[in-house]
Amino acid sequence: MVNVTFKQKPVTLIGSELKVGDQAPDFKALDNDLEEKMLSDYKGKIKLISVVPSIDTGVCSIQTNRFNEEAKKLDNVQVLTISMDLPFAQKRWREVNQVEDLNMLSDHRDADFGEKYGVLIKELRLLARSIFVVDSNDKITYVEYVSEVSDHPDYDKALEAAKNAQ
């Protein structure tokens, strides 16, 4: 059981904790054009999944911009940012921030990703900040559930895991 806080107050995560070695669950989310996307759409690629509560907050914005910059340097790695933000808000944010090297997905409709990856915050209907690296065979090779939602993830460890995944 993962213990996570939001502004120092404990929150309840819905879903099961995932661990290194687990098969990454397939999920459904919407892209910025309201098209349904699934993990299986990125089959054969390494996936770095960056999960943020809301793209319109400081830490989430920094996290997404950082992974966008790093995505240019990664071979065969698809970077995905997933949040509960509406696809329209994500698209606007992408345009303002000139983000072109990662895909943003919205879990707002069904919370399918949040439940399957154990990051849906029951009290807020937001996603807990986390990172998942999934190899080309859809095995999880790196997991970080950030213990305080307002803190940054360990960017260096996540990027190293993505570089080392096959």
Side-chain angles (χ1 to χ4, degrees):
M1 179 67 113
V2 178
N3 292 318
V4 171
T5 59
F6 184 81
K7 296 185 179 180
Q8 315 309 312
K9 294 181 181 161
V11 293
T12 307
L13 297 184
I14 297 174
S16 300
E17 176 183 359
L18 298 179
K19 294 179 172 49
V20 170
D22 287 349
Q23 187 71 26
D26 208 358
F27 62 84
K28 293 178 184 174
L30 297 177
D31 71 11
N32 296 163
D33 294 319
L34 302 177
E35 297 294 324
E36 194 169 83
K37 291 290 184 182
M38 301 171 66
L39 181 72
S40 54
D41 290 333
Y42 305 98
K43 191 157 190 66
K45 288 191 167 222
I46 297 160
K47 282 77 63 182
L48 188 157
I49 304 172
S50 171
V51 184
V52 299
S54 177
I55 197 61
D56 284 319
T57 63
V59 176
C60 298
S61 182
I62 291 167
Q63 180 175 331
T64 304
N65 274 308
R66 170 81 187 266
F67 285 126
N68 179 60
E69 287 303 311
E70 297 290 345
K72 298 171 190 172
K73 306 172 196 169
L74 300 172
D75 291 329
N76 197 38
V77 177
Q78 177 63 58
V79 178
L80 304 172
T81 291
I82 301 181
S83 72
M84 293 295 272
D85 294 300
L86 292 173
F88 314 109
Q90 290 179 339
K91 187 173 187 174
R92 175 195 45 77
W93 185 92
R94 282 185 71 181
E95 289 168 356
V96 167
N97 288 274
Q98 300 174 341
V99 168
E100 298 174 358
D101 293 297
L102 60 76
N103 289 11
M104 294 186 80
L105 300 176
S106 172
D107 201 29
H108 90 282
R109 185 180 67 186
D110 302 318
D112 188 53
F113 175 85
E115 289 188 28
K116 289 179 177 175
Y117 282 69
V119 297
L120 180 62
I121 300 173
K122 180 180 178 182
E123 296 84 352
L124 301 170
R125 201 170 191 278
L126 294 173
L127 302 181
R129 188 177 317 282
S130 49
I131 306 288
F132 300 90
V133 175
V134 179
D135 71 13
S136 58
N137 295 310
D138 293 339
K139 290 279 188 199
I140 296 174
T141 63
Y142 177 84
V143 176
E144 180 185 7
Y145 290 92
V146 179
S147 59
E148 167 53 50
V149 173
S150 61
D151 289 347
H152 288 271
D154 190 328
Y155 300 107
D156 293 335
K157 280 188 181 175
L159 291 164
E160 191 63 28
K163 289 174 188 170
N164 291 332
Q166 298 180 358

